[in-house]
Amino acid sequence: MPTNHPAAELRIAVLGVGQMGGYHVDTLSARTKGARVTVVSDYSHERATEVASAVGARVVDDPLEAVRADDVDAVVIASPGAFHEAQVLACLEAGKPVLCEKPLTIEAGTAYDVVLTEAKLDRPLVQVGFMRRFDAEYLALRETIATGELGNALVLHCAHRNPAVPDHFDSTMMLTDSVVHEVDSARFLLDEEIVAVRVLAGLATSAAPSGTSDPMIVVFETESGRLVTDEIFVRTTHAYEVRTELVAERGTAMIGLGHALQTSSGGRWGGQVTPDFVARFGQAYADELQAWVDGARRGEVGGPGAWDGYAAAAVTEAAVEALRTGGRVEVDLQPRP
Amino acid sequence: MPTNHPAAELRIAVLGVGQMGGYHVDTLSARTKGARVTVVSDYSHERATEVASAVGARVVDDPLEAVRADDVDAVVIASPGAFHEAQVLACLEAGKPVLCEKPLTIEAGTAYDVVLTEAKLDRPLVQVGFMRRFDAEYLALRETIATGELGNALVLHCAHRNPAVPDHFDSTMMLTDSVVHEVDSARFLLDEEIVAVRVLAGLATSAAPSGTSDPMIVVFETESGRLVTDEIFVRTTHAYEVRTELVAERGTAMIGLGHALQTSSGGRWGGQVTPDFVARFGQAYADELQAWVDGARRGEVGGPGAWDGYAAAAVTEAAVEALRTGGRVEVDLQPRP
Amino acid sequence: MPTNHPAAELRIAVLGVGQMGGYHVDTLSARTKGARVTVVSDYSHERATEVASAVGARVVDDPLEAVRADDVDAVVIASPGAFHEAQVLACLEAGKPVLCEKPLTIEAGTAYDVVLTEAKLDRPLVQVGFMRRFDAEYLALRETIATGELGNALVLHCAHRNPAVPDHFDSTMMLTDSVVHEVDSARFLLDEEIVAVRVLAGLATSAAPSGTSDPMIVVFETESGRLVTDEIFVRTTHAYEVRTELVAERGTAMIGLGHALQTSSGGRWGGQVTPDFVARFGQAYADELQAWVDGARRGEVGGPGAWDGYAAAAVTEAAVEALRTGGRVEVDLQPRP
Amino acid sequence: MPTNHPAAELRIAVLGVGQMGGYHVDTLSARTKGARVTVVSDYSHERATEVASAVGARVVDDPLEAVRADDVDAVVIASPGAFHEAQVLACLEAGKPVLCEKPLTIEAGTAYDVVLTEAKLDRPLVQVGFMRRFDAEYLALRETIATGELGNALVLHCAHRNPAVPDHFDSTMMLTDSVVHEVDSARFLLDEEIVAVRVLAGLATSAAPSGTSDPMIVVFETESGRLVTDEIFVRTTHAYEVRTELVAERGTAMIGLGHALQTSSGGRWGGQVTPDFVARFGQAYADELQAWVDGARRGEVGGPGAWDGYAAAAVTEAAVEALRTGGRVEVDLQPRP
């Protein structure tokens, strides 16, 4: 457990305080030991002011100026993906630890540039917001695979279901913004890279706008030939559900079935469906921030780094191509520096 | 409920009394009301004699003679698949109801011949041994889909896992002898035909002989564009497991998770894994035989008919081709007479 | 597996064809191999005629005449409890196997008379309708206790819940007609006698008539000092639920949580609550009848005998006294002949 | 969410840093926002020094001096129960908020004195360590009862199982140290007082020292006549398990069955049994401390207060008497000031 010297409290700038960034500000302020939000920046000055005043922080309109500010030790990036590249590179230049929400950048090429730039520094500074790596169930599943108690891992079956998304959330975004989580989960659980992708689009739900394939089945192949299936369905109308089943040589393991309160009445038994990502992963988000803060104070990266952000981008780029062609697309992964 | 006049007891010949046929003889004799095994036929005269004597039946060596015998009202075929065509056609010629274990015949073409021959009779006589149609969970899932309470069905996820198979059970047999059950289940649950197949072969378990792809992921497309995924894994070393999850527009439904006795001790909670098909589907087999006997006594077919046997053969034939080519193969389905 | 010689079909008289007796006639006729209902007797001649004609049986108005009839090999008693004593004794006198629904008789004293009368015969003839002994989950739990794999059994927790009963079903009947099942289950699972009883009556559901304590907590003590708790609640409005948890020295085991089809929609996951005893125990009833028929044809009793019926009556009689006094009442058990 | 002004950080003295107190120091230092441990006191100066140095606190040997220290804003009491009375009263005299581990004091009489003393102050200062009130499952169950969605609550069934305790942990301590949690849970869930108790001691596990009744069944009656059963079993050898089932007029609800990772291998499916209280209630402990800190900074009590501590002591005192007499003992509850 880290020692707690009040003097070492980390002063943080949060860039972008929409739903995700605002949630991070709350968690940093109310639940993250050793951290304090000192600067808030947002494209909307009004929104930034509202969020900052609630936690005693100040507003800096220019995000790159916020990165460089004297009362900022570290940076959380929750702005739109298109701004990530410039903001992350500014953090690297300023030598400040940064927790960047996924995607690291919006193309595999620029993500790899971040990897190369960071590799020239004397220590890594970038952590990417793959918060499932802090979820107790994923950690338990990874441990089960790592110990080899069930034999070699052969197949992973994933399901990723959201209750609803806006109409502009099309098939491509389903791959780049949603499936990207299974890309990282598969890499994290299996501890190897993904080398090829197929995307199968079948009958779409009537809730999907015309032209959007929701749900889809994505199939990944890993370096060692393992198959990973992923059902991505973002308009279930009722549930946020994330489930993963491992099929190994001598057994299987499943996470995501856990249910707390069970009631029985009116002819039915059961429980409440997890309504959103906070109910399912709220603790993982808090643990992610705490791990990042603890890491930053020790001069380390406490979670998935720039390479993980790049690798995910390379796979989702291939997935978008697989959706377009209907065939199998190989992932073009640059060498790791 | 059928009335029970002892005089109407159905006299049955069982052709082939290996593991499956012997099990049918036992079930017919000990648990199937209104039925009596009068004739047993097997390529091993010794085995036939052993089985027949235990239930007071006589042995007829020639299976086609057994079909035509005067003390035989109906026939159960549990011989190797290569003999099915001739035996089923003999039953049709003799005008006797027949319950034929899957496959109906070993090629889609000859299976379609059976369909055409039967279509010329004044009533159907062929029932195929897809016993999952008699399993309470499958019936409940089909009902859930049929009522539309969860909205239109979009995707089915199937898993079919066996503890062990002999070494000669290769990738092709995994499709024709095992996946054939999901072919029928999907057709039964979704009430439409399958039109295309993909077979994805990844990392094989070390328990599989060289050249055998175990497990595999099979993906079906149906007439309306629904996707059906099937994990087929026949050397799990420990469990017989059959699970199906429906993903529909407004909800999901799963069968195959049911567990009876749960214990907690030695640091673990849980229960016994279903060890074999009898533990999981024994009641479905008994109900299948009872439904067939009841149907035969009423002059009807009490379960899946010749068309269902043919459709399954057409799909598994396409699956074998998909395994060979690695691509998507369309199912070539003849018109239904 | 018993051999099946058609000539040995057991000809059965069913006395009392209300809900339970009518259900037995159906099961004997449609699902019980080796049995045939030849005689039906009921206090209502009209009802008897209706039931008999559906299965090709004849009506005999006088139940004792039915017992003695030449075309009756064995008897099922499903008449009201007050008639059981005379009917069972008639079966013993006629030397015919009898399956008697619980209670064996309505007082412990007369039940013991049946035990003594049967003990003078050269073989037992009485089976009592404790059908849970044929339920797969109870059998698995008994096996778990018997093997000692969890260490010595210490406590059993039972819950017995019915959706609804008629208003005349008062606190006393809850003990004699419902709790009697847990009395037998506890004796069957623990393989020892019950020696004392407490009945605790708390806040009653508003669905209970005034003066009826529904639910109640019953606590049994066994010969070796084990405690058995039983929640009896017969007006749950929605569910038929029977659950038992064993607490042993090194582990616990539970039955009655099993659920088949699970759905997730409308913000809830879960399944259908078992609506009635047929859904939960239908197979156990069929297996009970089959075991009794098989036993009778072999000259044996295939299930719980007269002593089990008497022991249950002795315990429920003590429970009624415990309800009256509010204290602990010892069970007065006669010696087993 | 509370605003977070660093200046307002609460400076805390922890009295008693054995297993529980040491755990609280860690949680306050590593996971509780807005709190800082400044003073540590323990009867072992060496232990106090070890714990204090790890978190930058100082040691004060005399606990009452620690309470009064200038660099202490609030106090956590985790010393043996016999010292609680003097330490809590010192906190009241100093006007400092105190979180006191259960029991509040070791007799109902002295606990009531604390209630009366606090009632004379202008605001409550005492919070008692009933941390289940911060557990998400208990909160969900309480909400289910409070909304009345299942109808009026009738019965609660509790099970409280520990893997192991020291030999001096006798039947009386099982009531005062373990059952006390169900006493508070029942009061919290049902929102009314307990008025009578029965304790039933049956066959003891062979792991229990001679004369210790482990397990026991405790039955509470509440003001409105509801029954609460509690199985207390503290030498299960393998599991920490806390389960509660509500039986209400139109339905039931259960907590404590939740399981995360499920594996299937070696012929068994299941998961890991919760090994200890940290695995089950670690988050509740952290949330309890956070709520207490947030409350103290706002001048409020953030959890169960002195009355709750007293009421629990009154009930467990009656339970000890019920264990001695074998009968029903009424709880003698003083008026609430």
Side-chain angles (χ1 to χ4, degrees), chain B residues 1 3-4 6 26 28-30 32-33 35-36 54 144 150 250-255 258-259 261-265 283, chain C residues 1 3-4 6 26 28-30 32-33 35-36 54 144 150 250-255 258-259 261-265 283:
Chain B
M1 224 160 261
T3 62
N4 174 47
D26 281 346
L28 285 166
S29 301
T32 311
K33 187 80 179 184
R36 184 156 51 102
T144 296
L150 301 182
R250 292 191 305 274
T252 59
M254 199 186 293
I255 58 173
H259 304 297
L261 177 71
Q262 298 196 5
T263 60
S264 174
S265 72
Q283 188 63 38
Chain C
M1 223 161 263
T3 62
N4 173 47
D26 281 346
L28 285 166
S29 301
T32 312
K33 188 81 179 182
R36 182 155 53 104
T144 296
L150 302 182
R250 292 191 305 274
T252 58
M254 198 185 294
I255 58 173
H259 304 296
L261 176 70
Q262 298 196 7
T263 60
S264 175
S265 70
Q283 188 63 37

Side-chain angles (χ1 to χ4, degrees), chain C:
Chain C
M1 223 161 263
T3 62
N4 173 47
H5 288 196
E9 203 167 42
L10 201 70
R11 296 163 305 169
I12 295 168
V14 178
L15 312 185
V17 286
Q19 188 195 12
M20 197 72 242
Y23 184 76
H24 282 329
V25 169
D26 281 346
T27 306
L28 285 166
S29 301
R31 301 170 60 191
T32 312
K33 188 81 179 182
R36 182 155 53 104
V37 178
T38 49
V39 169
V40 167
S41 180
D42 197 84
Y43 143 94
S44 156
H45 181 80
E46 208 174 338
R47 168 72 180 158
T49 305
E50 180 194 7
V51 169
S53 68
V55 299
R58 68 188 179 96
V59 172
V60 174
D61 285 334
D62 178 355
L64 302 190
E65 188 188 323
V67 167
R68 290 184 298 257
D70 281 347
D71 56 349
V72 166
D73 301 317
V75 179
V76 169
I77 298 178
S79 56
F83 300 109
H84 287 192
E85 184 184 0
Q87 293 172 359
V88 170
L89 290 174
C91 292
L92 293 184
E93 197 179 322
K96 295 185 180 176
V98 56
L99 173 62
C100 180
E101 270 304 308
K102 52 92 199 163
L104 177 54
T105 71
I106 54 176
E107 307 101 5
T110 50
Y112 191 59
D113 290 345
V114 171
V115 170
L116 294 178
T117 304
E118 186 196 47
K120 290 175 199 147
L121 304 178
D122 54 356
R123 70 170 185 96
L125 290 173
V126 178
Q127 181 171 328
V128 180
F130 293 127
M131 88 294 164
R132 288 189 194 171
R133 297 194 182 201
F134 298 91
D135 177 65
E137 296 192 9
Y138 276 93
L139 289 168
L141 182 55
R142 179 177 153 96
E143 176 73 9
T144 296
I145 295 174
T147 62
E149 64 192 83
L150 302 182
N152 195 14
L154 301 173
V155 175
L156 281 182
H157 294 295
C158 308
H160 182 156
R161 297 168 185 154
N162 281 65
V165 291
D167 273 1
H168 74 267
F169 205 93
D170 62 10
S171 304
T172 298
M173 290 187 71
M174 286 169 64
L175 297 171
T176 55
D177 274 48
S178 298
V179 171
V180 67
H181 277 297
E182 276 76 47
V183 169
D184 188 66
S185 297
R187 296 179 62 252
F188 177 64
L189 293 170
L190 298 175
D191 214 12
E192 62 174 335
E193 298 296 348
I194 290 168
V195 298
V197 191
R198 278 181 182 84
V199 178
L200 310 179
L203 181 64
T205 180
S206 57
S210 172
T212 296
S213 296
D214 186 7
M216 294 186 289
I217 306 291
V218 183
V219 185
F220 299 112
E221 296 169 34
T222 69
E223 288 170 313
S224 70
R226 289 157 174 160
L227 295 176
V228 179
T229 72
D230 185 26
E231 176 211 317
I232 176 69
F233 186 10
V234 297
R235 291 168 180 91
T236 66
T237 73
H238 76 105
Y240 180 80
E241 190 174 6
V242 171
R243 205 193 306 143
T244 298
E245 182 175 28
L246 161 75
V247 181
E249 295 206 331
R250 292 191 305 274
T252 58
M254 198 185 294
I255 58 173
L257 284 178
H259 304 296
L261 176 70
Q262 298 196 7
T263 60
S264 175
S265 70
R268 299 264 310 163
W269 64 269
Q272 199 195 350
V273 162
T274 308
D276 55 33
F277 73 93
V278 176
R280 173 66 184 83
F281 286 121
Q283 188 63 37
Y285 276 107
D287 290 349
E288 174 193 51
L289 287 170
Q290 188 70 63
W292 173 68
V293 165
D294 292 347
R297 292 163 84 194
R298 285 194 306 267
E300 296 165 11
V301 170
W307 175 260
D308 300 301
Y310 159 65
V315 175
T316 53
E317 230 175 69
V320 171
E321 178 70 5
L323 170 66
R324 199 181 60 77
T325 63
R328 176 179 180 273
V329 173
E330 300 201 353
V331 176
D332 181 26
L333 210 62
Q334 300 300 317
R336 183 163 186 170

Side-chain angles (χ1 to χ4, degrees), chain A residues 135-160:
Chain A
D135 178 65
E137 297 192 8
Y138 276 92
L139 289 168
L141 183 54
R142 180 176 153 97
E143 175 74 9
T144 297
I145 294 174
T147 62
E149 64 191 84
L150 302 181
N152 195 14
L154 300 173
V155 175
L156 281 184
H157 294 296
C158 307
H160 182 155

Side-chain angles (χ1 to χ4, degrees), chain D residues 195-197 318 328-332:
Chain D
V195 298
V197 191
R328 176 180 180 272
V329 173
E330 300 203 354
V331 176
D332 181 27

